[in-house]
Amino acid sequence: MKSATRDSQSSHANAARSNAPIFERRSIEYIPRRERHGKPWHVTPVWFTSSANLASLAIGTIGVLSGLNLFYSLLAIVVGSAFGTFFAAFHSSQGPQLGMPQMIQSRPQYGYRGAALIYVIAAAAYIGFSVFGVVLMGQTLELLFSIPQNVGMVATTALSVIVAAVGYNIVHKLARWIALAFLLCYLVITFAMPPVLTFPEGAFSTDGFSMTFFLAQGAAAAAACLAWAPYVSDYTRYLPHMSVKASFFSTYLGLAVSSIWVMGVAAVVTAAFPGTGIIEAFFFGGNAVFGGFGSIVLVLGLIGTIYLGSMNFYGGSLTVISILDSIRPVRPTATMRIALTAAFGIVSLGIALAATDTLLAGYGTFLTILLYALAPWTATNLVDFFLVRKGSYSIREIFNPRGIYGGWNWRGFAAYVASLLAMLPFVMTGAWNGPVAEILGYDVAPYVGMAVAALLYYGLCRSMDLVGEREWISVADAGLEGDDEVDQP
């Protein structure tokens, strides 16, 4: 029987793969199993490529620029990336199980309408990353080809919007080629660049450790990886149903390795060229290997950043549709997704064109605040999926404004607000430092917030009638896969 089931699933997957259109026609709705296609490893290049960009290079400079030596900066990058990716990869495993974008899955924890507040946080994250990436793309084109920065920002944003508008399948296909080019280029960088660079005295010393700067670099790396959590199921929701282990490691391997690699190389180059911007430093460092290699490195980073922009615009459009659907149910269409993708790109470009050096200098603070905001959400979402409901959800009820998940779920919001309050004493930003953070001298707020949100939410859910909920799910979702259209009830 199991063999027959596997054969049936395989035949469905093969048929879906052969019939999968390049141009995506779906949006936030459920993906029927007959349309699922792909294998776990197909996700790895997506997340491997996600860090092969100029924004990740900038994040890798934070430790060295703050005064941390190269040894501890690299260690902080490894620890932070490994930690942040752990949660993002678990979110990724929800995609094949539920067949929906990541953020729409927050409704069981926060309610049909209440989840809109979480969507707004995700949308702000997309905007923040998009703006920074657009500015870096403009600066790179100006350095390499003397194209005016504003013109370069417009051109690269347009390319990102086009890729995002085509949708899911083109994002996956492009990732494989970009990942291959990235792998070849960074192998050369890793082995050929360090021997020709000169590092300051004490760069690899174990003396002079600063917990404040170490956690600043580690938290930035963790935030950059965890910031993918609102995206990850967007790129696994078309995969056939598979084990949590398979989808977890396919994401973890790609995202953790590329994040550590790119940020680590950025830290090395920054240490070797003090007082130089990261783009110029990579240009000089690459050319130190052989003439013209610096340009090759930056062109690859530029391509990766265009790809990053497409992921931001794609995820941003799905999140905005989720917000609109929470206010008033809509019938999501490809046209709506494309229009909102373009709108998201235009807004990001507008902010980037108006961005000042002060705004861009605050990128590290943005990542820190983003980590504060995402920590409670990731805790409640993962606890609900793996420990409370254990993957048992009603697809139709998630899209039902008067469904079993309610308009506002007090349990999710109680855990979220309590988590924010618990973090306040531990917060350390440029604008305000909590009393405990002042004593410690460093910031551990996100980790406190995660623990509080997870424990409180789990405790509050003990009173839920999960047996009755599962019985209703079996009734509500009866015949789901047999429907011609299973967008929304």
Side-chain angles (χ1 to χ4, degrees), residues 74-92:
L74 293 174
L75 182 59
I77 288 170
V78 171
V79 173
S81 298
F83 178 79
T85 306
F86 179 82
F87 299 97
F90 269 120
H91 284 294
S92 177

Side-chain angles (χ1 to χ4, degrees), residues 190-474:
T190 302
F191 292 103
M193 188 181 290
V196 300
L197 299 180
T198 301
F199 299 100
E201 185 178 353
F204 297 99
S205 172
T206 57
D207 297 329
F209 175 76
S210 167
M211 182 62 79
T212 300
F213 297 149
F214 181 86
L215 287 179
Q217 176 64 83
C225 295
L226 182 58
W228 287 110
Y231 300 60
V232 284
S233 284
D234 299 357
Y235 299 99
T236 60
R237 72 191 200 278
Y238 280 89
L239 292 177
H241 194 278
M242 63 184 63
S243 69
V244 169
K245 180 179 179 180
S247 52
F248 173 88
F249 282 106
S250 64
T251 296
Y252 195 96
L253 179 63
L255 183 54
V257 169
S258 62
S259 296
I260 292 170
W261 202 353
V262 174
M263 294 181 199
V265 169
V268 169
V269 173
T270 302
F273 295 94
T276 306
I278 184 60
I279 294 177
E280 291 82 0
F282 252 79
F283 183 74
F284 298 145
N287 286 338
V289 176
F290 63 84
F293 187 56
S295 297
I296 294 174
V297 173
L298 288 182
V299 167
L300 179 60
L302 179 65
I303 293 172
T305 311
I306 293 172
Y307 181 85
L308 170 66
S310 70
M311 295 182 76
N312 282 321
F313 300 154
Y314 180 83
S317 69
L318 297 181
T319 301
V320 173
I321 295 173
S322 299
I323 294 173
L324 296 175
D325 187 69
S326 295
I327 297 170
R328 182 177 181 180
V330 299
R331 184 173 181 82
T333 62
T335 301
M336 177 184 290
R337 180 181 60 80
I338 293 169
L340 288 173
T341 296
F344 214 88
I346 291 170
V347 170
S348 299
L349 176 62
I351 297 174
L353 291 171
T356 63
D357 292 339
T358 302
L359 175 64
L360 298 178
Y363 189 59
T365 302
F366 163 75
L367 289 173
T368 300
I369 294 173
L370 180 61
L371 190 54
Y372 297 155
L374 288 178
W377 166 76
T378 196
T380 55
N381 183 263
L382 292 178
V383 166
D384 189 75
F385 187 89
F386 289 103
L387 300 180
V388 177
R389 290 185 167 98
K390 299 179 180 178
S392 180
Y393 297 90
S394 168
I395 302 302
R396 287 199 176 102
E397 292 296 283
I398 284 177
F399 292 100
N400 184 359
R402 301 176 185 83
I404 59 175
Y405 301 119
W408 298 80
N409 189 331
W410 66 270
R411 293 180 177 86
F413 278 102
Y416 194 94
V417 172
S419 174
L420 293 180
L421 294 175
M423 282 192 279
L424 283 177
F426 300 89
V427 163
M428 177 173 282
T429 66
W432 184 80
N433 297 331
V436 177
E438 290 279 9
I439 296 172
L440 294 176
Y442 47 84
D443 187 346
V444 294
Y447 318 111
V448 172
M450 273 186 169
V452 169
L455 292 173
L456 182 56
Y457 183 77
Y458 184 75
L460 293 174
C461 289
R462 302 285 289 178
S463 62
M464 292 173 56
D465 180 13
L466 294 175
V467 174
E469 183 175 290
R470 292 190 187 99
E471 291 175 353
W472 178 249
I473 290 171
S474 64

